[in-house]
Amino acid sequence: MATAVGSVGADAGDSVGGGAGSSTEYERAFDAVVAADERIEPRDWMPDAYRATLVRQIAQHAHSEIIGMQPEANWITRAPSLRRKAILMAKVQDEAGHGLYLYSAAETLGTGRDELLDKLHSGRQKYSSIFNYPTLTWADVGAIGWLVDGAAITNQVPLCRCSYGPYARAMVRICKEESFHQRQGYELLLALSRGTPEQHAMAQDAVDRWWWPSLMMFGPPDGESQHSAQSMAWKIKRHSNDELRRRFVDICVPQAESLGLTLPDPDLRWNEEQGHHDFGPIDWTEFRDVLKGNGPCNEERLTRRRHAHEEGAWVRESAAAYAAKHTTGETGAIRP
Ligand code: BYC
């Protein structure tokens, strides 16, 4: 949409079409693109606050993907069969790929990966609350796939229609992969649920522990969501936190029945009038505590991430040296 909205390189006082004008014209052009449900592209003019909101959300999303590798990777060496191990490795690698797409999307907004990682490592940017809970048994891998990836899909499918082009396009691919992740979690839990009484109990215990934190993934209730109204006006978000949470609950109830597992909420029941399920109160004190850094695994996750970053320094340096050789014409190829 660069031609419609003006380019990033233009001075704020330049007009959209090149004649005399003001930044208001840029704003009008931006608003028109958003109203027409078209996409804003990296070279288009955009309000500073729109750019900052996108960087905040995309960075948090990218950080969640790479931190999210940890709880699952914890089980790769202990997967109960070669098949399960291969599936889990593929899934964890997918999460790394999602991180890459998302850091690249943030780069199109002028914010580099180094800066974002620095903010993650110093605690200045967040990642999803859900990854501050431990994976205690093999069934947790199934519960993460079914519930955490299920919540992620519910939240992320509407993001495929986000007004910012690079983020929307990254989400299309991510959602396809998340669907596979969700299915593998469901299938894993089904196998356990239909297994021995001990396996069934293990699956139920995992669902009991992951259910409520999964509902928290959608963010605070609408009345306390500071960014939702503006993000929805800009069509970054298409639905409110509570709308998506309710949609997720509606999806999960029949799936839990098919799995032969119970959702740990005595207040969960169909509301005929609303056409949705009612559910019990969420412990928002726990949510706020986890966000403040006091969840069961906050410290462990960040420490591990910082170590991984330090241990990977030589890879980044080698890649940079190789790229520099390429730009000077040296390929670095080994000749006989
Ligand atoms: N955890 O005004 P609100 C995945 C923060 S990856 C932590 O409603 P917004 C997966 C929020 O950032 C899952 N923080 O915010 C990966 C804000 O604080 P700041 C990640 C949360 O942005 C690997 C404050 O609370 N998915 O699924 O309008 C393996 C107020 O909230 C959380 C995404 O990132 C939370 N749960 O809405 C498997 C999706 N909730 O920034 C799976 C993209 C809220 O002002 N993100 N906060 O300091 C979004 O859709 C939105 O950012 C949210 C929050 C719905 C999460």
Side-chain angles (χ1 to χ4, degrees):
M1 292 309 304
T3 47
V5 191
S7 75
V8 165
D11 291 331
D14 288 353
S15 73
V16 176
S22 70
S23 58
T24 319
E25 286 183 55
Y26 284 114
E27 278 167 32
R28 274 202 292 270
F30 170 86
D31 290 346
V33 169
V34 172
D37 251 339
E38 291 173 3
R39 299 282 171 268
I40 301 294
E41 295 297 340
R43 290 177 59 80
D44 292 341
W45 182 90
M46 62 189 83
D48 289 345
Y50 176 82
R51 188 185 297 275
T53 292
L54 279 168
V55 170
R56 180 186 62 79
Q57 179 166 325
I58 296 173
Q60 181 177 316
H61 195 165
H63 299 331
S64 305
E65 298 285 356
I66 62 166
I67 295 269
M69 296 167 73
Q70 292 185 35
E72 295 184 280
N74 183 31
W75 280 92
I76 290 176
T77 54
R78 292 173 286 167
S81 70
L82 181 62
R83 176 174 165 266
R84 292 288 180 201
K85 190 185 190 103
I87 293 171
L88 185 55
M89 281 170 64
K91 180 180 191 292
V92 172
Q93 283 174 354
D94 280 353
E95 311 299 1
H98 297 175
L100 286 181
Y101 310 154
L102 290 163
Y103 286 121
S104 299
E107 273 170 3
T108 67
L109 292 157
T111 311
R113 204 183 308 173
D114 285 351
E115 182 184 333
L116 296 181
L117 285 175
D118 193 43
K119 286 186 172 154
L120 169 66
H121 298 153
S122 59
R124 283 175 291 153
Q125 276 179 346
K126 294 189 173 79
Y127 58 88
S128 180
S129 51
I130 193 76
F131 299 118
N132 293 307
Y133 293 86
T135 39
L136 302 180
T137 71
W138 170 249
D140 288 31
V141 173
I144 290 183
W146 177 43
L147 294 174
V148 176
D149 289 283
I153 296 169
T154 310
N155 168 268
Q156 291 168 19
V157 165
L159 291 173
C160 298
R161 293 187 295 119
C162 162
S163 58
Y164 186 59
Y167 190 30
R169 289 189 288 274
M171 291 319 303
V172 172
R173 187 157 171 185
I174 290 176
C175 283
K176 284 184 186 161
E177 293 173 355
E178 295 290 12
S179 295
F180 151 70
H181 297 171
Q182 194 268 354
R183 295 296 299 172
Q184 72 81 34
Y186 182 90
E187 194 262 342
L188 194 165
L189 277 183
L190 190 63
L192 288 177
S193 179
R194 291 181 177 170
T196 63
E198 289 80 7
Q199 287 171 327
H200 181 90
M202 192 193 279
Q204 183 61 58
D205 170 63
V207 169
D208 289 348
R209 283 181 289 106
W210 287 92
W211 174 247
W212 292 106
S214 298
L215 295 190
M216 295 175 196
M217 285 176 71
F218 295 91
D222 289 352
E224 292 166 32
S225 168
Q226 67 212 70
H227 303 294
S228 277
Q230 182 59 76
S231 288
M232 285 169 75
W234 279 327
K235 296 187 182 169
I236 294 173
K237 283 169 87 161
R238 297 280 179 160
H239 305 280
S240 77
N241 298 354
D242 285 335
E243 272 176 321
L244 291 174
R245 190 170 8 249
R246 197 173 56 176
R247 184 179 294 180
F248 176 66
V249 172
D250 288 341
I251 292 169
C252 287
V253 170
Q255 292 183 352
E257 272 169 32
S258 311
L259 281 168
L261 298 170
T262 314
L263 295 172
D265 180 356
D267 297 327
L268 192 61
R269 61 181 57 87
W270 179 249
N271 181 327
E272 191 65 47
E273 210 174 293
Q274 301 267 324
H276 289 286
H277 289 87
D278 289 332
F279 51 93
I282 295 174
D283 185 351
W284 292 114
T285 311
E286 174 180 321
F287 175 73
R288 282 188 286 271
D289 246 21
V290 172
L291 256 58
K292 273 191 229 144
N294 303 325
C297 299
N298 294 60
E299 188 68 37
E300 182 186 329
R301 299 286 184 246
L302 264 187
T303 304
R304 178 76 200 97
R305 173 91 272 290
R306 288 190 201 107
H307 281 159
H309 191 69
E310 283 157 23
E311 283 164 13
W314 69 272
V315 179
R316 292 190 296 280
E317 281 158 22
S318 308
Y322 184 74
K325 270 189 188 175
H326 262 282
T327 52
T328 56
E330 284 181 60
T331 62
I334 298 165
R335 293 196 176 83

